[in-house]
Amino acid sequence: MIIKNIEYPELLVEAIKNDKLVIFCGAGISMSEPTNLPSFNELSDKIAELTNQEKRNDESDEQYLGRVGNLGHDVHSKVCDILNATQTQPNTNHETLIDFFKKDIRIVTTNYDIMLESALNLMELFIYMVMLIILQILCLQILILENLICIMEI
């Protein structure tokens, strides 16, 4: 099916029609203007600047952030400071994802921002949202579990 010059697979169209669609989205949806949030790699780079701890060539961003946390830096607070440094607003990506749904909105996200919720508030819609946090290092998992507020309405 073609909608606004975009061809959508029939399975997707049927899932939307039958109210069975679940969308999984990541940080990419919050990187566009006016939201402009950093990617995970960019966030890791900013932590490197703030802590003066260089990344090693052989370590992933997850390993790097875990190592910096083990060195005594409050990685979670620094991440919060970075994310709260500017007033962020939802972008068209957030609004477009929400527009796929007729009533019950089912979006699973690994995002650490609340732009989907903000877009919903702006659109005055009720949401069923499950925040899924997938992190590969124990350090960030513990920090997030201690400080993250997840809202689950089902």
Side-chain angles (χ1 to χ4, degrees), residues 2-3 6 8-10 17 24 32 35 47 51 62-63 79 82 97 109 120 122-123 126 129 132 145:
I2 298 176
I3 304 169
I6 300 173
Y8 293 93
E10 278 305 312
K17 284 181 183 176
F24 183 88
S32 299
T35 313
I47 296 297
T51 61
E62 293 88 352
Q63 291 169 324
V79 167
I82 292 167
L97 285 179
T109 180
L120 284 165
L122 292 173
M123 299 168 76
F126 186 73
M129 178 177 280
L132 174 64
L145 289 173

Side-chain angles (χ1 to χ4, degrees), residues 4-80:
K4 295 183 182 179
N5 296 325
I6 300 173
E7 186 172 351
Y8 293 93
E10 278 305 312
L11 286 174
L12 176 61
V13 174
E14 288 301 314
I16 293 169
K17 284 181 183 176
N18 296 322
D19 198 32
K20 298 204 179 282
L21 180 66
V22 176
I23 293 179
F24 183 88
C25 61
I29 66 164
S30 296
M31 292 169 58
S32 299
E33 292 184 4
T35 313
N36 293 324
L37 290 177
S39 68
F40 190 62
N41 182 262
E42 292 167 339
L43 190 61
S44 177
D45 290 344
K46 288 182 181 198
I47 296 297
E49 290 172 19
L50 291 172
T51 61
N52 293 319
Q53 296 293 322
E54 289 187 30
K55 288 184 186 179
R56 298 176 185 151
N57 291 335
D58 63 338
E59 68 185 344
S60 67
D61 292 317
E62 293 88 352
Q63 291 169 324
Y64 167 74
L65 293 173
R67 180 172 60 81
V68 170
N70 289 338
L71 291 172
H73 294 279
D74 188 349
V75 174
H76 185 262
S77 292
K78 292 183 185 332
V79 167
C80 289

Side-chain angles (χ1 to χ4, degrees), residues 89-142:
Q89 299 174 10
N91 60 47
T92 56
N93 297 330
H94 302 107
E95 295 161 4
T96 301
L97 285 179
I98 292 165
D99 284 342
F100 274 106
F101 298 92
K102 293 179 183 172
K103 55 176 189 170
D104 294 338
I105 299 172
R106 290 170 304 278
I107 300 174
V108 179
T109 180
T110 58
N111 285 6
Y112 41 77
D113 62 68
I114 58 167
M115 292 301 100
L116 284 166
E117 294 90 338
S118 296
L120 284 165
N121 287 334
L122 292 173
M123 299 168 76
E124 297 181 4
L125 294 174
F126 186 73
I127 181 172
Y128 291 94
M129 178 177 280
V130 177
M131 300 284 291
L132 174 64
I133 305 299
I134 300 176
L135 297 170
Q136 297 177 3
I137 57 172
L138 183 58
C139 177
L140 282 182
Q141 288 174 344
I142 291 171

